[in-house]
Amino acid sequence: MTPSSPALRRHERRERLLILALLFPALAVVTALLVVPLAWLAVQSVTTDGSFTLEHYQRFLTEDIYWRSFLLTFRIGLTVTVLALALGYPVAYAAATLPRGWSVVVLGLVILPFWTSVLVRAYAWMVLLQRRGLVNGMLQGLGLTDQPIALINNEFGTVLATLHILLPFMVLPLYATMQRIPRDLMLAGASLGGGPLHVFLRVFLPLSMPGVVAGTVLVFVLALGFYITPELLGGGRTFMVSMLVSRNVELYNQWGAASAIGVVLLVCVAALFWLASRVVPLERIMGAR
């Protein structure tokens, strides 16, 4: 049978149809749950009473609260990401290099917060950080402060609680990458005369960069869309993008304005993924080998 024979072409068509039939349920779910809502969001952002308009996007140029909210959101997201990387990298390194028994313990402690909902953890931080909470009580008991200090209803409380919630999302991608680094490379570097710090900086750290990029992008994107924690710990003073969307819908019934905010944030996240893919291929960011 030659490559261009009718029988071969019929077989290829049947194979393509079979693959399409197998993909159809997944494509239908993705279309219904992702494509259609995003299309509706985009349409809502450029319409008012059924007519085309760009007034919802013009608010980004005329109302300062939009820009202040976006700048605050990105600043908190960047702060949380940097702190999560600084705290999560040593934890992931320990989990990847310790004996298996201790590695399981470390990972278990990292995953343990997932057993509690985000709302419960946010309320727990409110109890700990309030003016008469455990933290202020300890600070005063140790003589470090004379009176309670403001640890919630501000940016500090928001960053601290968000960092606690998102830290596992940094540790797990780092651990997955570090676990795949061959230990023979470290031994080879040591056998060639490299000290532990030199081998780590020249061998281990570069090989762990896909995990660093994956964890950084994941934590930063999740921080941009956080709502419950800034709402509770920020006390209305930490006004992030998610809260701006909520106010437009709940208080002002401005679905078009809320949709425009969502579209702008989506574009920012897509640009972030594109920039990250320039550094590390997207399949490696997503964890593929």
mmCIF file of all heavy atoms in Angstrom, residues 40-59 253-260:
data_model
loop_
_atom_site.group_PDB
_atom_site.id
_atom_site.type_symbol
_atom_site.label_atom_id
_atom_site.label_comp_id
_atom_site.label_asym_id
_atom_site.label_seq_id
_atom_site.Cartn_x
_atom_site.Cartn_y
_atom_site.Cartn_z
ATOM 1 N N TRP A 40 -18.122 35.612 27.639
ATOM 2 C CA TRP A 40 -19.149 36.450 28.264
ATOM 3 C C TRP A 40 -18.511 37.612 29.014
ATOM 4 O O TRP A 40 -18.995 38.744 28.974
ATOM 5 C CB TRP A 40 -19.982 35.598 29.214
ATOM 6 C CG TRP A 40 -21.030 36.361 29.967
ATOM 7 C CD1 TRP A 40 -22.279 36.690 29.545
ATOM 8 C CD2 TRP A 40 -20.895 36.917 31.283
ATOM 9 N NE1 TRP A 40 -22.942 37.415 30.509
ATOM 10 C CE2 TRP A 40 -22.122 37.564 31.595
ATOM 11 C CE3 TRP A 40 -19.875 36.922 32.233
ATOM 12 C CZ2 TRP A 40 -22.333 38.206 32.805
ATOM 13 C CZ3 TRP A 40 -20.088 37.565 33.434
ATOM 14 C CH2 TRP A 40 -21.293 38.194 33.715
ATOM 15 N N LEU A 41 -17.410 37.336 29.708
ATOM 16 C CA LEU A 41 -16.700 38.388 30.441
ATOM 17 C C LEU A 41 -16.211 39.476 29.491
ATOM 18 O O LEU A 41 -16.356 40.673 29.776
ATOM 19 C CB LEU A 41 -15.530 37.770 31.200
ATOM 20 C CG LEU A 41 -14.833 38.644 32.241
ATOM 21 C CD1 LEU A 41 -15.702 38.788 33.476
ATOM 22 C CD2 LEU A 41 -13.490 38.030 32.628
ATOM 23 N N ALA A 42 -15.638 39.064 28.368
ATOM 24 C CA ALA A 42 -15.129 40.037 27.406
ATOM 25 C C ALA A 42 -16.251 40.877 26.804
ATOM 26 O O ALA A 42 -16.117 42.096 26.635
ATOM 27 C CB ALA A 42 -14.358 39.310 26.304
ATOM 28 N N VAL A 43 -17.377 40.231 26.504
ATOM 29 C CA VAL A 43 -18.516 40.965 25.930
ATOM 30 C C VAL A 43 -19.077 41.948 26.947
ATOM 31 O O VAL A 43 -19.389 43.108 26.622
ATOM 32 C CB VAL A 43 -19.600 39.981 25.458
ATOM 33 C CG1 VAL A 43 -20.866 40.730 25.055
ATOM 34 C CG2 VAL A 43 -19.095 39.152 24.284
ATOM 35 N N GLN A 44 -19.220 41.513 28.196
ATOM 36 C CA GLN A 44 -19.748 42.391 29.237
ATOM 37 C C GLN A 44 -18.877 43.620 29.450
ATOM 38 O O GLN A 44 -19.376 44.691 29.793
ATOM 39 C CB GLN A 44 -19.847 41.617 30.551
ATOM 40 C CG GLN A 44 -21.017 40.646 30.624
ATOM 41 C CD GLN A 44 -22.326 41.372 30.832
ATOM 42 O OE1 GLN A 44 -23.183 41.421 29.953
ATOM 43 N NE2 GLN A 44 -22.487 41.974 31.988
ATOM 44 N N SER A 45 -17.569 43.460 29.238
ATOM 45 C CA SER A 45 -16.662 44.576 29.506
ATOM 46 C C SER A 45 -16.744 45.688 28.466
ATOM 47 O O SER A 45 -16.255 46.797 28.716
ATOM 48 C CB SER A 45 -15.222 44.057 29.589
ATOM 49 O OG SER A 45 -14.765 43.621 28.321
ATOM 50 N N VAL A 46 -17.340 45.413 27.307
ATOM 51 C CA VAL A 46 -17.410 46.435 26.239
ATOM 52 C C VAL A 46 -18.847 46.748 25.847
ATOM 53 O O VAL A 46 -19.088 47.281 24.766
ATOM 54 C CB VAL A 46 -16.616 45.968 24.995
ATOM 55 C CG1 VAL A 46 -15.136 45.897 25.299
ATOM 56 C CG2 VAL A 46 -17.122 44.623 24.492
ATOM 57 N N THR A 47 -19.793 46.431 26.701
ATOM 58 C CA THR A 47 -21.193 46.729 26.404
ATOM 59 C C THR A 47 -21.862 47.379 27.610
ATOM 60 O O THR A 47 -21.537 47.090 28.755
ATOM 61 C CB THR A 47 -21.970 45.458 26.032
ATOM 62 O OG1 THR A 47 -21.863 44.494 27.096
ATOM 63 C CG2 THR A 47 -21.456 44.845 24.746
ATOM 64 N N THR A 48 -22.818 48.238 27.307
ATOM 65 C CA THR A 48 -23.692 48.846 28.318
ATOM 66 C C THR A 48 -25.079 48.959 27.720
ATOM 67 O O THR A 48 -25.267 49.627 26.703
ATOM 68 C CB THR A 48 -23.185 50.242 28.733
ATOM 69 O OG1 THR A 48 -21.885 50.120 29.314
ATOM 70 C CG2 THR A 48 -24.127 50.867 29.749
ATOM 71 N N ASP A 49 -26.033 48.288 28.346
ATOM 72 C CA ASP A 49 -27.414 48.249 27.836
ATOM 73 C C ASP A 49 -27.462 47.761 26.391
ATOM 74 O O ASP A 49 -28.241 48.271 25.570
ATOM 75 C CB ASP A 49 -28.059 49.637 27.938
ATOM 76 C CG ASP A 49 -28.162 50.108 29.386
ATOM 77 O OD1 ASP A 49 -28.328 49.240 30.275
ATOM 78 O OD2 ASP A 49 -28.074 51.318 29.619
ATOM 79 N N GLY A 50 -26.605 46.810 26.079
ATOM 80 C CA GLY A 50 -26.606 46.206 24.754
ATOM 81 C C GLY A 50 -25.848 46.964 23.693
ATOM 82 O O GLY A 50 -25.784 46.511 22.541
ATOM 83 N N SER A 51 -25.250 48.096 24.011
ATOM 84 C CA SER A 51 -24.509 48.882 23.016
ATOM 85 C C SER A 51 -23.019 48.864 23.344
ATOM 86 O O SER A 51 -22.622 48.779 24.509
ATOM 87 C CB SER A 51 -25.016 50.329 23.002
ATOM 88 O OG SER A 51 -24.880 50.911 24.287
ATOM 89 N N PHE A 52 -22.212 48.979 22.295
ATOM 90 C CA PHE A 52 -20.764 48.927 22.450
ATOM 91 C C PHE A 52 -20.253 50.187 23.136
ATOM 92 O O PHE A 52 -20.673 51.311 22.810
ATOM 93 C CB PHE A 52 -20.103 48.773 21.083
ATOM 94 C CG PHE A 52 -18.598 48.751 21.140
ATOM 95 C CD1 PHE A 52 -17.917 47.585 21.473
ATOM 96 C CD2 PHE A 52 -17.863 49.905 20.882
ATOM 97 C CE1 PHE A 52 -16.525 47.569 21.528
ATOM 98 C CE2 PHE A 52 -16.482 49.899 20.937
ATOM 99 C CZ PHE A 52 -15.813 48.725 21.259
ATOM 100 N N THR A 53 -19.320 50.007 24.075
ATOM 101 C CA THR A 53 -18.730 51.135 24.775
ATOM 102 C C THR A 53 -17.388 50.736 25.369
ATOM 103 O O THR A 53 -17.163 49.558 25.670
ATOM 104 C CB THR A 53 -19.648 51.648 25.898
ATOM 105 O OG1 THR A 53 -19.029 52.766 26.549
ATOM 106 C CG2 THR A 53 -19.896 50.559 26.927
ATOM 107 N N LEU A 54 -16.523 51.714 25.521
ATOM 108 C CA LEU A 54 -15.228 51.496 26.171
ATOM 109 C C LEU A 54 -15.129 52.255 27.495
ATOM 110 O O LEU A 54 -14.032 52.414 28.040
ATOM 111 C CB LEU A 54 -14.086 51.942 25.250
ATOM 112 C CG LEU A 54 -13.880 51.120 23.970
ATOM 113 C CD1 LEU A 54 -12.758 51.728 23.129
ATOM 114 C CD2 LEU A 54 -13.550 49.661 24.302
ATOM 115 N N GLU A 55 -16.283 52.697 28.013
ATOM 116 C CA GLU A 55 -16.256 53.503 29.232
ATOM 117 C C GLU A 55 -15.719 52.723 30.429
ATOM 118 O O GLU A 55 -15.115 53.304 31.342
ATOM 119 C CB GLU A 55 -17.661 54.022 29.556
ATOM 120 C CG GLU A 55 -18.678 52.928 29.867
ATOM 121 C CD GLU A 55 -20.002 53.511 30.319
ATOM 122 O OE1 GLU A 55 -20.001 54.622 30.880
ATOM 123 O OE2 GLU A 55 -21.034 52.845 30.108
ATOM 124 N N HIS A 56 -15.929 51.407 30.432
ATOM 125 C CA HIS A 56 -15.437 50.624 31.559
ATOM 126 C C HIS A 56 -13.909 50.587 31.585
ATOM 127 O O HIS A 56 -13.306 50.544 32.667
ATOM 128 C CB HIS A 56 -15.980 49.195 31.486
ATOM 129 C CG HIS A 56 -17.475 49.136 31.431
ATOM 130 N ND1 HIS A 56 -18.277 49.791 32.336
ATOM 131 C CD2 HIS A 56 -18.331 48.489 30.581
ATOM 132 C CE1 HIS A 56 -19.554 49.558 32.043
ATOM 133 N NE2 HIS A 56 -19.607 48.774 30.991
ATOM 134 N N TYR A 57 -13.294 50.589 30.425
ATOM 135 C CA TYR A 57 -11.837 50.621 30.366
ATOM 136 C C TYR A 57 -11.300 52.037 30.560
ATOM 137 O O TYR A 57 -10.173 52.218 31.027
ATOM 138 C CB TYR A 57 -11.342 50.057 29.040
ATOM 139 C CG TYR A 57 -11.568 48.568 28.893
ATOM 140 C CD1 TYR A 57 -12.667 48.071 28.197
ATOM 141 C CD2 TYR A 57 -10.695 47.651 29.475
ATOM 142 C CE1 TYR A 57 -12.878 46.704 28.065
ATOM 143 C CE2 TYR A 57 -10.898 46.287 29.353
ATOM 144 C CZ TYR A 57 -11.992 45.820 28.646
ATOM 145 O OH TYR A 57 -12.201 44.468 28.536
ATOM 146 N N GLN A 58 -12.098 53.044 30.206
ATOM 147 C CA GLN A 58 -11.659 54.422 30.400
ATOM 148 C C GLN A 58 -11.501 54.763 31.874
ATOM 149 O O GLN A 58 -10.744 55.678 32.228
ATOM 150 C CB GLN A 58 -12.662 55.380 29.740
ATOM 151 C CG GLN A 58 -12.665 55.312 28.218
ATOM 152 C CD GLN A 58 -13.771 56.148 27.598
ATOM 153 O OE1 GLN A 58 -14.626 56.687 28.301
ATOM 154 N NE2 GLN A 58 -13.762 56.237 26.275
ATOM 155 N N ARG A 59 -12.178 54.024 32.739
ATOM 156 C CA ARG A 59 -12.060 54.280 34.177
ATOM 157 C C ARG A 59 -10.654 54.027 34.685
ATOM 158 O O ARG A 59 -10.244 54.610 35.695
ATOM 159 C CB ARG A 59 -13.051 53.407 34.941
ATOM 160 C CG ARG A 59 -14.514 53.719 34.632
ATOM 161 C CD ARG A 59 -15.446 52.850 35.440
ATOM 162 N NE ARG A 59 -16.837 53.151 35.132
ATOM 163 C CZ ARG A 59 -17.876 52.560 35.717
ATOM 164 N NH1 ARG A 59 -17.651 51.645 36.645
ATOM 165 N NH2 ARG A 59 -19.103 52.881 35.386
ATOM 166 N N ASN A 253 -23.672 47.127 41.342
ATOM 167 C CA ASN A 253 -24.291 46.326 40.271
ATOM 168 C C ASN A 253 -23.717 46.682 38.900
ATOM 169 O O ASN A 253 -24.426 46.701 37.893
ATOM 170 C CB ASN A 253 -25.817 46.512 40.279
ATOM 171 C CG ASN A 253 -26.530 45.422 39.502
ATOM 172 O OD1 ASN A 253 -26.050 44.283 39.416
ATOM 173 N ND2 ASN A 253 -27.665 45.751 38.916
ATOM 174 N N GLN A 254 -22.411 46.940 38.868
ATOM 175 C CA GLN A 254 -21.721 47.314 37.632
ATOM 176 C C GLN A 254 -20.980 46.084 37.090
ATOM 177 O O GLN A 254 -19.776 45.927 37.287
ATOM 178 C CB GLN A 254 -20.742 48.461 37.904
ATOM 179 C CG GLN A 254 -21.402 49.778 38.244
ATOM 180 C CD GLN A 254 -22.035 50.427 37.027
ATOM 181 O OE1 GLN A 254 -21.659 50.150 35.891
ATOM 182 N NE2 GLN A 254 -23.010 51.279 37.263
ATOM 183 N N TRP A 255 -21.708 45.226 36.408
ATOM 184 C CA TRP A 255 -21.096 44.018 35.862
ATOM 185 C C TRP A 255 -20.094 44.345 34.761
ATOM 186 O O TRP A 255 -19.089 43.656 34.600
ATOM 187 C CB TRP A 255 -22.177 43.087 35.325
ATOM 188 C CG TRP A 255 -22.951 42.418 36.407
ATOM 189 C CD1 TRP A 255 -24.084 42.873 37.015
ATOM 190 C CD2 TRP A 255 -22.645 41.159 37.027
ATOM 191 N NE1 TRP A 255 -24.491 41.985 37.973
ATOM 192 C CE2 TRP A 255 -23.638 40.931 38.003
ATOM 193 C CE3 TRP A 255 -21.634 40.226 36.852
ATOM 194 C CZ2 TRP A 255 -23.646 39.787 38.798
ATOM 195 C CZ3 TRP A 255 -21.639 39.085 37.635
ATOM 196 C CH2 TRP A 255 -22.629 38.868 38.595
ATOM 197 N N GLY A 256 -20.348 45.387 34.007
ATOM 198 C CA GLY A 256 -19.416 45.767 32.945
ATOM 199 C C GLY A 256 -18.082 46.226 33.504
ATOM 200 O O GLY A 256 -17.017 45.826 33.007
ATOM 201 N N ALA A 257 -18.125 47.052 34.562
ATOM 202 C CA ALA A 257 -16.887 47.519 35.174
ATOM 203 C C ALA A 257 -16.121 46.364 35.805
ATOM 204 O O ALA A 257 -14.893 46.263 35.674
ATOM 205 C CB ALA A 257 -17.202 48.582 36.225
ATOM 206 N N ALA A 258 -16.846 45.469 36.478
ATOM 207 C CA ALA A 258 -16.196 44.299 37.085
ATOM 208 C C ALA A 258 -15.587 43.408 36.012
ATOM 209 O O ALA A 258 -14.483 42.863 36.195
ATOM 210 C CB ALA A 258 -17.201 43.515 37.916
ATOM 211 N N SER A 259 -16.278 43.253 34.880
ATOM 212 C CA SER A 259 -15.746 42.428 33.792
ATOM 213 C C SER A 259 -14.494 43.051 33.192
ATOM 214 O O SER A 259 -13.535 42.333 32.860
ATOM 215 C CB SER A 259 -16.809 42.247 32.703
ATOM 216 O OG SER A 259 -17.963 41.598 33.219
ATOM 217 N N ALA A 260 -14.477 44.365 33.047
ATOM 218 C CA ALA A 260 -13.287 45.033 32.506
ATOM 219 C C ALA A 260 -12.085 44.833 33.416
ATOM 220 O O ALA A 260 -10.967 44.599 32.947
ATOM 221 C CB ALA A 260 -13.570 46.521 32.319
#
